[in-house]
Amino acid sequence: MTSKFEVGQIVDGKVTGIQPYGAFVALDEETQGLVHISEVTHGFVKDINEHLSTGDEVKVKVLTIDEDNNKVSLSIRATEEAPKKTEKPRKQQTHTTSTQQNNDTAGFNTLKDKLQEWIDQSGERDSFKK
């Protein structure tokens, strides 16, 4: 049955049936395989019917062949180029805290080095409250 096909091979097929979990694709008159819903396209697919219809001609890649059970796993998304990831620009910090304004040194300081500064800042805040 599947001796004509090899894992990794890209072939043309025709969608013969659609289920909530995937689409059945005929590779030839004797061989049919399943494109799982996760292999339809890049990204999340909520409803496979939004992407495929019975009778659609599709290009698929053979993922696995199970000769014993006569099952072929197929992928449509493996035949498509993955969309480029776009990085979202990070928001720049527009405010500065009093600690940042008072800190002239760069880098990290140990707690012992910063303790007196924090005590002094705390005393300044307390005097504002009174």
Side-chain angles (χ1 to χ4, degrees):
M1 168 193 131
T2 57
S3 59
K4 300 180 204 173
F5 303 101
E6 296 178 10
V7 172
Q9 184 179 6
I10 296 177
V11 295
D12 291 321
K14 187 174 187 176
V15 177
T16 58
I18 296 183
Q19 295 294 321
Y21 53 84
F24 291 96
V25 176
L27 303 179
D28 61 18
E29 297 205 9
E30 303 165 358
T31 309
Q32 183 168 289
L34 175 70
V35 177
H36 187 267
I37 191 169
S38 65
E39 293 294 331
V40 171
T41 188
H42 295 277
F44 179 74
V45 176
K46 183 175 182 177
D47 182 4
I48 194 168
N49 294 298
E50 293 175 0
H51 299 273
L52 296 172
S53 299
T54 302
D56 285 354
E57 297 284 334
V58 292
K59 189 174 291 290
V60 294
K61 182 175 185 177
V62 178
L63 298 179
T64 62
I65 299 173
D66 183 353
E67 291 277 351
D68 297 334
N69 296 311
N70 292 328
K71 292 184 179 181
V72 180
S73 295
L74 305 169
S75 173
I76 295 172
R77 78 177 186 164
T79 64
E80 302 169 344
E81 188 173 326
K84 296 186 181 192
K85 293 183 180 180
T86 56
E87 279 191 34
K88 294 180 182 177
R90 293 184 179 180
K91 292 183 181 179
Q92 292 184 348
Q93 189 173 358
T94 57
H95 66 281
T96 56
T97 62
S98 61
T99 306
Q100 290 172 326
Q101 292 170 347
N102 294 336
N103 189 2
D104 294 335
T105 60
F108 295 97
N109 296 320
T110 65
L111 287 175
K112 184 178 178 183
D113 295 339
K114 295 295 285 182
L115 184 59
Q116 188 58 47
E117 181 181 340
W118 291 335
I119 291 171
D120 294 341
Q121 288 174 356
S122 177
E124 290 172 7
R125 287 189 204 127
D126 288 342
S127 65
F128 289 126
K129 291 180 182 176
K130 293 180 181 176

